[in-house]
Amino acid sequence: MAVSNPETAVEPGPVAKYDTGEAMCPYRLVLEHLTSRWGVLVLIELLERPYRFSELRRAIGRVSEKMLTQTLQTLERDGLVHRDAKPVIPPRVDYSLTDLGREAAEQVRGLAMWTQQRMGAVQEAREVYDARKASS
């Protein structure tokens, strides 16, 4: 049996704010879900109103059925999207945001709006960067 010596024990150091280790893994996964290509668009679209699957797919555009299904399942698992399957024929499934999802979607929408408003400055920065790279 090994005995721990308190004088030589190594105490864990402070955890970095954006640690990439195991401690932050769940945080990083949720962040990836929120900011994924389709996650952002689903959240922003669902801010307006609940959607049926096909309506949501048309509203987002250019997303495959498989990717939209995976995105909705992931966001549902994270507690951000509510799936309401009604027992009717033909089957009707509506997707809406939970309170947690609405809060997240408002944050994501803010970032999307900032991106749209500042796209001119981003484009200028890209042109300057590309010109500098081309001349070196």
Side-chain angles (χ1 to χ4, degrees), residues 15 35 40 50 74 91 111 121:
V15 177
T35 59
V40 166
T74 298
L111 180 59

Side-chain angles (χ1 to χ4, degrees), residues 20-37:
T20 58
E22 289 180 35
M24 295 302 286
C25 191
Y27 158 83
R28 288 179 56 112
L29 284 175
V30 173
L31 186 59
E32 286 177 24
H33 299 162
L34 290 171
T35 59
S36 70
R37 178 179 182 181

Side-chain angles (χ1 to χ4, degrees), residues 77-98:
R77 182 170 184 257
D78 288 343
L80 306 174
V81 168
H82 174 71
R83 181 180 185 271
D84 183 21
K86 298 188 182 353
V88 294
I89 297 177
R92 179 183 173 110
V93 180
D94 292 316
Y95 294 92
S96 60
L97 293 174
T98 63

Side-chain angles (χ1 to χ4, degrees), residues 23-131:
M24 295 302 286
C25 191
Y27 158 83
R28 288 179 56 112
L29 284 175
V30 173
L31 186 59
E32 286 177 24
H33 299 162
L34 290 171
T35 59
S36 70
R37 178 179 182 181
W38 303 116
V40 166
L41 298 175
V42 165
L43 290 170
I44 291 172
E45 202 61 46
L46 288 176
L47 264 173
E48 301 305 316
R49 64 178 178 85
Y51 278 87
R52 294 178 73 175
F53 184 88
S54 57
E55 289 178 311
L56 186 58
R57 187 169 177 216
R58 279 192 303 274
I60 292 171
R62 296 182 12 187
V63 60
S64 71
E65 188 173 321
K66 178 182 177 183
M67 281 309 303
L68 183 55
T69 298
Q70 287 176 351
T71 300
L72 287 166
Q73 286 174 345
T74 298
L75 295 174
E76 182 183 6
R77 182 170 184 257
D78 288 343
L80 306 174
V81 168
H82 174 71
R83 181 180 185 271
D84 183 21
K86 298 188 182 353
V88 294
I89 297 177
R92 179 183 173 110
V93 180
D94 292 316
Y95 294 92
S96 60
L97 293 174
T98 63
D99 289 341
L100 187 64
R102 181 162 298 284
E103 186 180 337
E106 288 169 355
Q107 298 296 319
V108 170
R109 180 174 59 184
L111 180 59
M113 289 170 56
W114 177 88
T115 304
Q116 185 178 24
Q117 293 166 353
R118 301 301 291 161
M119 198 58 217
V122 170
Q123 190 57 41
E124 280 181 37
R126 288 176 175 176
E127 290 168 5
V128 168
Y129 178 88
D130 292 345

Side-chain angles (χ1 to χ4, degrees), residues 3-17:
V3 177
S4 173
N5 181 349
E7 292 177 13
T8 60
V10 177
E11 294 200 19
V15 177
K17 188 173 183 180

